[in-house]
Amino acid sequence: PVHIGFIGPPASAKTLFLLDIYNKHREQAYFVDATDTTKVGLRDVLFTQRPKYLIIDELDKLPKKDQAILLNVMETGILSTTVHKKINQTQLKLWVFATINDSSKVMGPLKSRLQLLNLPEYTQGEFMEIGIKLLGDKGIGPETAKIITSIVFEESTRDIREVLRLGKIITAIDTETVDKAQVTRIIRTVLKYGAPEHD
């Protein structure tokens, strides 16, 4: 198995890659949000679920002491535990796919087991193309999609997730009776008065 780590700034579509892998291999995959995971929980998942694909979002949020559970299983496929009154061992054929925002928070030995792929921030052209395509898939016309995407890129976070959130708001509006100026005003109002994001 080859283990892949997607490194890049927030909003560079790392999680979208993971979700696509997960959705295509749902029967053999296990998705882990590292912000709410421990070594014990990860070990139990590997022993009981025996996934072929372990998908870890935000690996850098898993404390380094808890990352160690992955070292041997990624290198040899052997998962073992020798904790008081709990001795267990198994062999797994496991592929790990992970996203990483801050690679300095990932153990060196763990990074060395990952094929790291750097995802740069989108250019304006790429962002526009992706935003318009995603919104089009949600039933939003190209002109409205272009307005939403360009405002997010030029005036807000440059986060494709924000494009999708705003698209959901716009789909609740009858865009046949709303002109471009009104769509623009709605989007800017939501951005202006929306609650600030928390890390």
Side-chain angles (χ1 to χ4, degrees):
V2 176
H3 311 291
I4 306 291
F6 298 104
I7 298 180
S12 54
K14 300 182 301 297
T15 301
L16 292 177
F17 277 102
L18 290 192
L19 289 173
D20 198 48
I21 294 165
Y22 176 72
N23 288 327
K24 283 184 170 58
H25 302 284
R26 196 177 286 263
E27 297 298 316
Q28 300 174 296
Y30 195 91
F31 191 96
V32 173
D33 178 357
T35 60
D36 193 28
T37 302
T38 64
K39 176 172 67 175
V40 173
L42 202 49
R43 182 193 64 216
D44 290 348
V45 161
L46 292 172
F47 272 119
T48 60
Q49 303 295 317
R50 300 184 56 79
K52 182 174 183 180
Y53 305 107
L54 181 64
I55 308 206
I56 307 173
D57 196 22
E58 299 191 341
L59 176 61
D60 51 312
K61 298 286 189 340
L62 187 65
K64 285 187 177 181
K65 64 181 179 57
D66 292 346
Q67 294 173 17
I69 187 73
L70 295 169
L71 293 175
N72 202 44
V73 72
M74 287 172 67
E75 183 75 19
T76 66
I78 297 170
L79 177 66
S80 64
T81 182
T82 51
V83 182
H84 178 67
K85 294 186 179 179
K86 195 167 189 180
I87 299 170
N88 205 349
Q89 182 171 302
T90 191
Q91 182 83 35
L92 297 173
K93 192 162 188 183
L94 179 72
W95 282 258
V96 173
F97 296 90
T99 63
I100 302 166
N101 289 325
D102 183 352
S103 64
S104 70
K105 295 182 179 177
V106 178
M107 296 172 62
L110 185 54
K111 278 193 285 194
S112 74
R113 287 163 170 76
L114 292 163
Q115 173 61 54
L116 298 174
L117 302 175
N118 288 296
L119 302 178
E121 285 189 78
Y122 293 127
T123 65
Q124 184 170 8
E126 292 167 337
F127 191 86
M128 293 299 296
E129 181 181 348
I130 292 165
I132 292 167
K133 166 76 170 84
L134 289 173
L135 292 175
D137 291 347
K138 304 289 184 191
I140 296 174
E143 286 301 312
T144 302
K146 186 175 180 180
I147 291 169
I148 296 168
T149 306
S150 64
I151 290 173
V152 171
F153 187 86
E154 294 168 7
E155 302 176 26
S156 188
T157 60
R158 297 187 179 188
D159 186 336
I160 208 72
R161 289 173 291 221
E162 187 158 46
V163 170
L164 292 171
R165 280 193 295 271
L166 292 168
K168 287 179 185 176
I169 292 169
I170 293 301
T171 57
I173 299 167
D174 181 4
T175 53
E176 296 297 322
T177 61
V178 176
D179 64 23
K180 293 178 191 177
Q182 289 171 312
V183 169
T184 301
R185 192 171 62 251
I186 291 166
I187 295 304
R188 287 188 172 135
T189 301
V190 170
L191 291 175
K192 181 177 179 180
Y193 294 106
E197 290 191 19
H198 301 287
D199 287 341

